[in-house]
Amino acid sequence: MNERSRVDKTSAEDKSIGFDYQYYYFLNELLNLKSGQTAGYEVLDDVHIECADGKTLLVQLKHTVQTNAQGDPINLTTLDPDLWKSISNWCKVIVDPVEGRSSVNNQLIFLKKTSFLLASNKPSNARNSFLSSFDAFRNATKSHADFLSDIRELKAETKDKTIQGYISDLLDLKSCVSEAFLRNLSFGLGLDEIIARCKTSILEKQIHPTRVDDVFQAVDSKLRENSFATVKAGGKISFSFEQFNLEYRRDFDKVRSEGLVIRNRIPALPANLSDQTFIKQLVDIDDIAADDVEILTKFTTLRLNFRDNVEQWIQDGDITQSDVDDLEQEADAYWENTFTASYPRRQPPPDEAAGGAAARDIVQKLRKVKLPLASQELPIRMSNGGFYELSDRPVMGWLHNWKDRYN
């Protein structure tokens, strides 16, 4: 059965990805702003760019999830609603009486400082007679009158009343206005993989390839949060080059530094948190409760974040295995000094209560230590994760007889 279900018909997925496409196009424009430029999102159009010379680019963005037999986005067709709706919208903007553009003179003044871009993941194709005629007009191999004649033929070909109305909006413009509009119209087709384009823009700002994702995630998250707050407060999403640089420069500077970039990700947790050796060690000394899921999750996350960050740093070439070995030796020295202080002459404690107190004292002291890695001092949360990781193997413990109990 080929009919779509009611749920499919009312699904918001197509619209959702369309909004995301617009947003990431805007983000890419922000990343490429030049001094004196301003970019806006859903202010003057889907996206707009104001230039230092007073000219403005209005951008309409159209995205499709439909694909051809090869799995690529479908082409922009001659009578494509995305094409003609955009052109119709701009024609209405040009003659908008509310903006004082009822007269031809004011329309021409507006067009002297305004250009228009239709951007889409739909690619161009040789069978699109509109684009072929438009290219001929722009290349001066076809007159404006001949181009309009082609458009009238297109209008006559379609039975779609909506498309006919869109085409009429172009044909209804005064000839001089129509020509000025068409000379300021351009197309950016086949713009797919928009997120990859954002990351390329970040890379081109002298960001190391292994740290591009860190910048992207930081800027993307902050921009989404700030945009939501701006709209909620009744404001408009717009950034000048200077504003964007001021608010987001730090996200670039952080990864340009020589320091290690700590990635706080949500790791996949073990099915049974209590089965981890480091958790058993902490439970056995009454440092934590075995049924305290919140603290078990927190400590496990610290351990796994330490492990995952170290593995990523080695993979990216930020550190070497020798650096990790040095950290573990330093951690072992901290542990051994504290362990020896808690158990003088390595003698067992007089009773279980004394043993528990001594073990907890070791843990509390080590939780205040900042471990060194590749000439950088790790923050407490990472250092805690390092000690948890080492006690999970286990190469260190807290009770006097930890080797016998956990190895």
Side-chain angles (χ1 to χ4, degrees), residues 108 111 114 116 144 175-185:
L108 292 173
L111 288 169
T114 309
F116 311 84
H144 177 245
S175 180
C176 59
V177 174
S178 170
E179 184 168 4
F181 166 54
L182 292 169
R183 294 201 181 282
N184 287 349
L185 174 63

Side-chain angles (χ1 to χ4, degrees), residues 128-143:
N128 189 318
S129 60
F130 168 83
L131 291 177
S132 297
S133 182
F134 178 78
D135 288 342
F137 163 70
R138 291 297 299 268
N139 294 329
T141 58
K142 177 173 287 191
S143 69

